[in-house]
Amino acid sequence: MTTESFRGSNDSRCVFFNTDSEDHRCFLILTVKRATGTFSLVGCLWMLFVIWLLRRYNSIAQKMILSLTIAAFFDSVAYVMGDTHLDGWLCDFQAWWLTYFDWSALAWVFLITLNLYLNLVYETSTNKFEIFYHLTAWGVPLAMASLPLLKGFYGRAGAWCWITGDHVAWRFGIWYVPLFTLILLMICCYARIICVANKRMQSWLGTFNPERERRKISLAEEIRPLKWYPSVYLLVSIFPLINRLHNALYPQDPSFPLTFLHVLSAPLHGLANSFVFGLDRDWWSLLSPAGLQLALQSRLCDQTRIGEYYPGTVRYTQADLADLSDDEDDTNVLFYSPDMALKDRGP
């Protein structure tokens, strides 16, 4: 989440380290933070565009991925916010925002794993849990982000605002301990999912059955991209955890390499999610030049409307009525104008 701040004088822009001569390092830290945050924003926007373009928000799994993308997008916004902040309401707001959407994104990843576990291991329909998922993914982060705010523990914390270095236990209790606990649970869930899936695919061996083959392929395709979400959170959280441990042991001697790796990896949740999102081959097949053109036309140019049909008056001429046996002209009339005289072709 954060890097350890050194509470230097207010006239210095560098609040990461304890000497004013290291402003170039502070500039590098801020530049990397903004760059990684911007990359994540772009990745989230791409995901939202593809979901909107292909209308992939109908099933509960698709809706959960959409909610994860929204949470990751707003989480990335927090990392792009401003420079270093002095203590105040703006700093508290950034810290609350960052904690809330970090937690929300993590909650959606865990719920996606839980949803897949219930679907495949227990073969349970989870559509009835949709409201529960939303209450959990948006409600629990609200509590976790508001507790430090009510306690007054937010403040300057390096490249962004978060829980200050005076409250190390709260840093680990609010974020790092729950984070790695949930990651461990997700890894166990996916190990169980893969084990059950392999047993089912082995049980389908034997006489060729098209339906079984289709279910086997569908099962493998569903598991493959989703299993990477816990790995993503594990990878982007390793260096922040190491830096937090160093900050706790040496609060007055922050490490520039660890701080750099921290700001390089922590804001990458959104970008990493977009890479996992891109592992689904079905998306790329639909985003071929021809498929992209059809999807854009469907989204932007489809003006089909359903209206009430009012039939016009059909007039028959005397000659037409007299010539009922004329079968030489067998032309079908596709469009009708009120001024047209239609020939009654008979039964």
Short mmCIF file of all heavy atoms in Angstrom, two decimals, residues 330-337 340 342-343:
data_model
loop_
_atom_site.label_atom_id
_atom_site.label_comp_id
_atom_site.label_asym_id
_atom_site.label_seq_id
_atom_site.Cartn_x
_atom_site.Cartn_y
_atom_site.Cartn_z
N ASP A 330 -45.52 -14.75 -62.59
CA ASP A 330 -45.48 -15.32 -61.24
C ASP A 330 -44.58 -14.49 -60.32
O ASP A 330 -43.89 -15.01 -59.47
CB ASP A 330 -44.95 -16.76 -61.33
CG ASP A 330 -45.23 -17.52 -60.05
OD1 ASP A 330 -46.20 -17.16 -59.37
OD2 ASP A 330 -44.49 -18.47 -59.77
N THR A 331 -44.59 -13.18 -60.52
CA THR A 331 -43.72 -12.29 -59.75
C THR A 331 -44.30 -12.09 -58.35
O THR A 331 -45.48 -11.85 -58.20
CB THR A 331 -43.60 -10.92 -60.45
OG1 THR A 331 -43.12 -11.15 -61.76
CG2 THR A 331 -42.65 -10.02 -59.69
N ASN A 332 -43.43 -12.18 -57.34
CA ASN A 332 -43.85 -11.93 -55.96
C ASN A 332 -43.65 -10.46 -55.64
O ASN A 332 -42.58 -9.89 -55.89
CB ASN A 332 -43.02 -12.77 -54.98
CG ASN A 332 -43.31 -14.24 -55.15
OD1 ASN A 332 -44.45 -14.62 -55.38
ND2 ASN A 332 -42.27 -15.07 -55.02
N VAL A 333 -44.65 -9.82 -55.04
CA VAL A 333 -44.57 -8.41 -54.67
C VAL A 333 -43.99 -8.32 -53.27
O VAL A 333 -44.56 -8.84 -52.32
CB VAL A 333 -45.96 -7.76 -54.72
CG1 VAL A 333 -45.87 -6.30 -54.29
CG2 VAL A 333 -46.55 -7.87 -56.11
N LEU A 334 -42.82 -7.67 -53.14
CA LEU A 334 -42.15 -7.57 -51.85
C LEU A 334 -42.50 -6.30 -51.11
O LEU A 334 -42.46 -6.28 -49.88
CB LEU A 334 -40.62 -7.65 -52.04
CG LEU A 334 -40.12 -8.93 -52.72
CD1 LEU A 334 -38.61 -8.87 -52.86
CD2 LEU A 334 -40.53 -10.16 -51.94
N PHE A 335 -42.74 -5.22 -51.79
CA PHE A 335 -43.04 -3.96 -51.15
C PHE A 335 -44.37 -3.45 -51.67
O PHE A 335 -44.72 -3.64 -52.83
CB PHE A 335 -41.93 -2.93 -51.43
CG PHE A 335 -40.60 -3.39 -50.97
CD1 PHE A 335 -39.71 -3.97 -51.86
CD2 PHE A 335 -40.23 -3.28 -49.65
CE1 PHE A 335 -38.47 -4.40 -51.44
CE2 PHE A 335 -38.99 -3.70 -49.22
CZ PHE A 335 -38.11 -4.27 -50.12
N TYR A 336 -45.11 -2.75 -50.84
CA TYR A 336 -46.45 -2.29 -51.22
C TYR A 336 -46.52 -0.77 -51.13
O TYR A 336 -46.03 -0.16 -50.18
CB TYR A 336 -47.50 -2.90 -50.29
CG TYR A 336 -48.83 -2.22 -50.40
CD1 TYR A 336 -49.57 -2.36 -51.58
CD2 TYR A 336 -49.31 -1.43 -49.38
CE1 TYR A 336 -50.79 -1.72 -51.71
CE2 TYR A 336 -50.52 -0.78 -49.51
CZ TYR A 336 -51.26 -0.93 -50.67
OH TYR A 336 -52.45 -0.29 -50.80
N SER A 337 -47.10 -0.18 -52.12
CA SER A 337 -47.40 1.24 -52.12
C SER A 337 -48.90 1.39 -52.28
O SER A 337 -49.53 0.64 -53.02
CB SER A 337 -46.68 1.94 -53.29
OG SER A 337 -47.15 3.27 -53.40
N MET A 340 -50.41 1.18 -55.73
CA MET A 340 -50.20 0.01 -56.57
C MET A 340 -51.50 -0.78 -56.70
O MET A 340 -52.29 -0.86 -55.76
CB MET A 340 -49.14 -0.92 -55.97
CG MET A 340 -47.72 -0.34 -55.99
SD MET A 340 -46.57 -1.44 -55.14
CE MET A 340 -46.76 -2.91 -56.10
N LEU A 342 -52.71 -4.44 -57.07
CA LEU A 342 -52.17 -5.77 -56.90
C LEU A 342 -53.06 -6.79 -57.61
O LEU A 342 -54.28 -6.69 -57.60
CB LEU A 342 -52.09 -6.12 -55.42
CG LEU A 342 -51.21 -5.19 -54.57
CD1 LEU A 342 -51.17 -5.68 -53.15
CD2 LEU A 342 -49.82 -5.11 -55.16
N LYS A 343 -52.43 -7.77 -58.18
CA LYS A 343 -53.14 -8.83 -58.89
C LYS A 343 -53.45 -9.97 -57.91
O LYS A 343 -52.58 -10.42 -57.20
CB LYS A 343 -52.28 -9.35 -60.02
CG LYS A 343 -52.99 -10.44 -60.84
CD LYS A 343 -52.07 -10.96 -61.94
CE LYS A 343 -51.82 -9.87 -62.95
NZ LYS A 343 -51.03 -10.39 -64.10
#
